[in-house]
Amino acid sequence: MSVEASGGTTGAPSSSHRLGLLDSITAFSIDEGYAEASRRRATPETTAEPRRPSPGVTGLLVVAIFGLLLAIAAVQNSRNAVSAATDREDLVAQIRARSAAVAATRDRIQSTSAEVALLESQFFAATSEGQSVTDRLTRLGVSTGSLPVEGPGVRVVVDDAPNAATAQQEVLDKDLQKLVNGLWEAGAEAIAINGQRLTNLSAIRHAGSAITVNYRSLARPYVVTVIGDPDSIPARFVETDHGGEWLDLQATFGLQYEMTSEESLTVPAATRLDLRHATTDQTPDQAPR
Amino acid sequence: MIAALGLLVGIVVGLLLQPDVPLGLEPYLPIAVVAALDAVFGALRAFLDGIFDDKVFVVSFVSNVLIAALIVYLGDKLGVGGQLATGVIVVLGIRIFSNVAAIRRHLLHA
């Protein structure tokens, strides 16, 4: 106890009962084992001069272990710090890379948008070309009869004379031909007789007792639907030769003839439109011999 | 003198080998070092007091290290590992400071 007191800073008391926690920590900061060991050593040789015991091999070993621990902890700590720093640098690099990728993608979006706009304008140009082709096709279809058309026009209803006795009092195929030719001359754009569209190959013929158009027999009365200018066609029809003949027929033989202007008429497409001899340039091999 | 040599040898060996601490033991290493530091300073003070004993040193060193690590391990299991580690460090730190003060008084007589 005296030995410990000589080394203690606060003079360690024999008991720690009255001490506070912090006081007891400082009072017994040195292991009490040292004091006891020294007391045990001192007992056999009470009057021996106090020699200074120095650490032996075990002490050396323990101190070496301590140094090892110290070094390992320091190394580990610095290693962790390094790895943390590299982690942060990795993250920063990743952020930069991703930002660059985003910027690149944005650029690509812009260039792609420009490309889309260019292609769109090219597409419009292409379709305007296609539009003109379609327009031409439509015009040709209207004149050839491959397309149904509607529009203003006149409706001509012709029929035999009432109580017709002779053939001259009936509407003949050549009468209808005259009528149609006069209407074409008057500016008709599309003509149908009783729903039969007149094409450039249509024939108006007498077959037996009936008139056939497009090889279909027609029944009286003959309704001729004409698409064209409803204001000018009646006047111009009368001025043509065929129109004059029709007026003569009406006056002489009593054929019924009535022309009315219509706001909206529809003319159907021709049922069949065959090319018998003509071929296009693209298929010369299939041309018939 | 021989103790200083041992310390040097230990540090050099540690720096040369740079052994990898297992991940499970990593949190306990700093606490173990602080506990060992306390044991070493206590031994130094005992040496200066003339009451040094090899056996006591070894036992106090090992038990300090093990108990400090055990307390922190227990705290980790209970969810108060950080607080217990702080407590251990405070107590050991106070002991280290008072021991160092005694050593200083021995060496410098002040």
Side-chain angles (χ1 to χ4, degrees):
Chain A
M1 175 56 65
S2 62
V3 179
E4 189 180 356
S6 72
T9 53
T10 54
S14 53
S15 82
S16 59
H17 294 317
R18 288 163 304 168
L19 290 176
L21 181 63
L22 288 179
D23 282 337
S24 85
I25 288 173
T26 48
F28 301 105
S29 54
I30 186 171
D31 252 297
E32 288 177 74
Y34 289 118
E36 273 189 31
S38 110
R39 235 177 288 134
R40 248 183 284 117
R41 252 200 321 274
T43 337
E45 20 174 348
T46 42
T47 54
E49 59 181 41
R51 58 170 185 92
R52 277 196 154 185
S54 66
V57 182
T58 29
L60 175 99
L61 214 65
V62 170
V63 171
I65 288 171
F66 169 69
L68 194 69
L69 274 179
L70 207 64
I72 289 171
V75 164
Q76 192 72 28
N77 198 27
S78 69
R79 200 183 283 163
N80 285 353
V82 165
S83 83
T86 51
D87 280 357
R88 219 184 59 213
E89 274 169 24
D90 274 359
L91 280 177
V92 168
Q94 270 186 28
I95 288 168
R96 292 217 177 106
R98 295 292 157 85
S99 300
V102 166
T105 310
R106 217 170 266 154
D107 284 353
R108 239 182 70 211
I109 288 171
Q110 246 171 10
S111 68
T112 310
S113 300
E115 204 177 325
V116 164
L118 183 70
L119 286 174
E120 244 171 28
S121 64
Q122 280 179 1
F123 179 67
F124 284 145
T127 48
S128 76
E129 199 182 317
Q131 191 68 44
S132 73
V133 170
T134 313
D135 287 344
R136 219 173 120 233
L137 273 175
T138 308
R139 279 199 308 274
L140 290 172
V142 168
S143 11
T144 55
S146 65
L147 289 175
V149 291
E150 66 174 1
V154 295
R155 190 195 303 272
V156 184
V157 180
V158 294
D159 202 351
D160 299 348
N163 305 317
T166 63
Q168 288 175 312
Q169 292 178 311
E170 292 176 4
V171 175
L172 303 178
D173 51 350
K174 52 185 179 183
D175 298 327
L176 271 184
Q177 288 167 11
K178 285 173 192 167
L179 177 66
V180 167
N181 286 338
L183 286 169
W184 283 130
E185 215 176 328
E189 291 170 7
I191 299 175
I193 302 174
N194 283 16
Q196 288 297 316
R197 177 73 173 271
L198 295 184
T199 70
N200 49 352
L201 294 175
S202 291
I204 302 171
R205 284 185 195 157
H206 229 285
S209 60
I211 296 175
T212 62
V213 174
N214 294 344
Y215 311 107
R216 298 281 176 99
S217 299
L218 302 183
R220 296 187 302 118
Y222 308 104
V223 181
V224 182
T225 314
V226 182
I227 303 289
D229 187 357
D231 297 325
S232 66
I233 282 180
R236 285 176 67 184
F237 174 70
V238 172
E239 282 171 17
T240 62
D241 296 344
H242 302 300
E245 286 177 25
W246 252 98
L247 290 182
D248 284 343
L249 286 172
Q250 189 186 16
T252 311
F253 301 108
L255 296 185
Q256 294 181 33
Y257 163 85
E258 192 184 354
M259 180 182 281
T260 53
S261 297
E262 299 279 356
E263 281 293 320
S264 175
L265 291 171
T266 56
V267 170
T271 46
R272 45 182 298 180
L273 204 66
D274 291 339
L275 288 177
R276 274 164 282 184
H277 300 289
T279 55
T280 58
D281 290 339
Q282 290 163 340
T283 55
D285 295 341
Q286 294 172 5
R289 303 279 161 136
Chain B
M1 201 59 211
I2 193 168
L5 197 70
L7 183 66
L8 202 68
V9 166
I11 288 175
V12 167
V13 166
L15 287 179
L16 285 183
L17 294 182
Q18 298 210 348
D20 267 324
V21 181
L23 206 65
L25 294 181
E26 210 170 289
Y28 310 117
L29 187 61
I31 291 291
V33 168
V34 172
L37 198 65
D38 170 65
V40 167
F41 276 118
L44 185 57
R45 178 181 168 186
F47 171 70
L48 292 176
D49 284 347
I51 57 171
F52 181 81
D53 188 272
D54 259 346
K55 206 179 84 186
V56 174
F57 177 45
V58 171
V59 169
S60 75
F61 182 91
V62 172
S63 73
N64 258 17
V65 167
L66 288 184
I67 287 171
L70 184 72
I71 286 173
V72 176
Y73 172 78
L74 211 61
D76 272 345
K77 290 299 162 210
L78 296 176
V80 288
Q83 291 90 318
L84 268 184
T86 305
V88 167
I89 285 181
V90 165
V91 170
L92 293 179
I94 291 172
R95 274 174 61 130
I96 289 168
F97 265 102
S98 70
N99 279 337
V100 169
I103 291 163
R104 184 196 68 216
R105 224 169 282 123
H106 265 292
L107 294 180
L108 304 175
H109 304 288

